[in-house]
Amino acid sequence: MKVLVVNAGSSSLKYQLIEMETETVLCKGVVEKIGLNGSLITHKYGDQKVIVEDTINDHTKAFNLLIDCLVNKDYGVIDSVEEIGAIGHRVVHSGEEFDSSTYVGDEEMKKLQSVAHLAPLHNPANIACIQLCKSLLPKVPNVAVFDTAFHSTMPKKAKMYGIPYEIYEKYQIRRYGFHGTSHKFVSGEAIKYLTSKGLPCSKIVTCHLGNGSSISAVKDGKCVDTSMGMTPMAGVMMGTRCGDIDPAVVEMIADNTGMSLKETTNYLNKQSGFMGVSGVSSDARELCKAASEGNERAQLAKDMFAYQVQKFIGSYAVAMNGLDCVVFTGGIGENSWEFRELIMQNTEFLGVAFDQEKNKTSEARGNFCDLSKPESKVKVLVIPTNEELVIARETQEIVQSL
Ligand code: ADP
């Protein structure tokens, strides 16, 4: 079966067509700046790439262009859309309506719409894209795969906020967590690797560190806690998000600056984190460069991030009563030896013997790599994430069970 994986944002549409028998990516691409000036589609197949610039006013046009790319006689990879067995959609927030991936029929669509407001920047675009696929390709089944689903196994003591219970019941306000497909993929890969070596694998901390970052505690293959919350703003500070702060600070910033509550939230979401603290950039590479040139605020942002990740690793080791493995993934986790080195400081007492030299080699950049010394009781792994593959696998599984 060929599965089309679609990740629709408000102004972008990413896609991959995957042949599931071999789990091969036949092509992938992104439609960018939908509804804006300079819209274009970048389509990659094999080691080739084409860029089509066009006026792309809406997602319908974007999706039609995407289909054109798939079947194009020069750079397409299939003869007709009939070859698409299913479409897997990344959906950001499930609310309490779903705790796993789902086929999207009429009933499920109603439920999806009822939780759209929980991720106002993402879910409406995800839902609109599913509706579009249903109307343009009515014979192809659609599956929603949620960012939140992997975290649905968290116990209530980890999920709940210390707010009046009625508020949770009425508005579904609690910790949900995000990047679930990534945490699921890398913890699964870690378990496979550790099992093949005869090593324990029941207590894993997965660190997805990218533009957005989250840490999860995975016990016996199931998520028991995660750092993001009701929204992706919580947890460690990120490229532009503040991460955990004292909630009273929100009103203080609003009062002092004259910003509205909405503007303040936007400010904490889009202009804080690495960007806000350093004043240099939201990008970890720029931050490291500035810090190496002596920029103190860039160094501070680096130190804060590493310290916050360390604290989650420490607290999750206690939450799971031990630690077998730490996994690094995401753009920073997979590529930045500097951040991995900072984060792994002070972990010796947990049984980590971190291989600092190997950490700096190119072998440990963007590849699966074991960064622990042979005597290390806790394994430290770099595992490139593959969220699209998780979406495609779950889509195939659900469609085959229909
Ligand atoms: P997103 O959350 O948008 O998916 P990514 O997972 O792609 O983001 O991560 C992007 C981050 O990874 C950026 O901050 C980028 O600077 C960082 N990154 C990528 N390569 C490196 C590198 N070699 N060294 C340090 N940081 C890197």
Side-chain angles (χ1 to χ4, degrees), residues 179 208-212 274 282-285 288 330-332 335-336 365:
H179 295 137
H208 178 108
L209 312 178
N211 220 352
F274 290 168
S282 62
D283 189 288
R285 277 165 297 198
C288 290
I332 297 173
N335 296 297
S336 175
R365 216 162 79 218

Side-chain angles (χ1 to χ4, degrees), residues 1 85-86 103 141-143 394-402:
M1 179 194 284
Y103 165 76
N142 290 275
V143 171
E394 305 220 342
T395 300
Q396 182 186 36
E397 204 179 303
I398 286 184
V399 169
Q400 284 178 341
S401 69
L402 288 176

Side-chain angles (χ1 to χ4, degrees), residues 184-393:
K184 180 173 185 169
F185 180 77
V186 297
S187 58
E189 293 296 299
I191 289 168
K192 268 193 245 165
Y193 173 78
L194 296 168
T195 307
S196 75
K197 301 257 167 210
L199 295 167
C201 59
S202 63
K203 296 160 183 174
I204 299 177
V205 174
T206 48
C207 305
H208 178 108
L209 312 178
N211 220 352
S213 296
S214 62
I215 331 290
S216 290
V218 183
K219 192 161 187 214
D220 299 324
K222 292 199 164 76
C223 178
V224 291
D225 207 344
T226 193
S227 60
M228 283 180 166
M230 172 79 206
T231 78
M233 277 174 77
V236 294
M237 69 186 252
M238 312 176 205
T240 62
R241 296 183 191 129
C242 59
D244 290 342
I245 54 166
D246 177 341
V249 162
V250 179
E251 190 185 347
M252 273 178 198
I253 294 178
D255 282 350
N256 281 300
T257 61
M259 284 190 284
S260 67
L261 200 54
K262 234 188 176 67
E263 285 166 339
T264 307
T265 304
N266 199 38
Y267 184 68
L268 293 171
N269 211 2
K270 305 250 176 76
Q271 293 182 53
S272 301
F274 290 168
M275 181 67 233
V277 173
S278 71
V280 173
S281 174
S282 62
D283 189 288
R285 277 165 297 198
E286 300 288 323
L287 203 67
C288 290
K289 184 166 169 283
S292 71
E293 291 164 359
N295 185 312
E296 286 180 13
R297 274 170 50 189
Q299 185 61 48
L300 173 64
K302 274 181 73 176
D303 291 341
M304 286 169 66
F305 178 69
Y307 180 61
Q308 292 177 11
V309 176
Q310 282 181 317
K311 289 203 293 184
F312 272 104
I313 295 173
S315 65
Y316 289 166
V318 174
M320 294 188 288
N321 191 19
L323 186 63
D324 296 323
C325 178
V326 175
V327 181
F328 285 106
T329 194
I332 297 173
E334 291 168 32
N335 296 297
S336 175
W337 67 265
E338 286 182 84
F339 274 112
R340 290 192 303 247
E341 186 176 283
L342 280 173
I343 292 165
M344 282 295 107
Q345 282 172 5
N346 297 357
T347 56
E348 300 83 1
F349 82 101
L350 287 166
V352 177
F354 183 60
D355 191 334
Q356 297 217 20
E357 292 316 309
K358 195 170 177 189
N359 180 44
K360 291 181 186 162
T361 60
S362 58
E363 189 192 340
R365 216 162 79 218
N367 300 308
F368 186 105
C369 193
D370 184 344
L371 296 181
S372 30
K373 292 184 178 165
E375 69 271 23
S376 189
K377 278 197 270 174
V378 178
K379 291 284 144 191
V380 181
L381 305 175
V382 176
I383 305 182
T385 196
N386 196 340
E387 294 167 274
E388 292 79 11
L389 186 57
V390 173
I391 296 174
R393 282 177 183 165

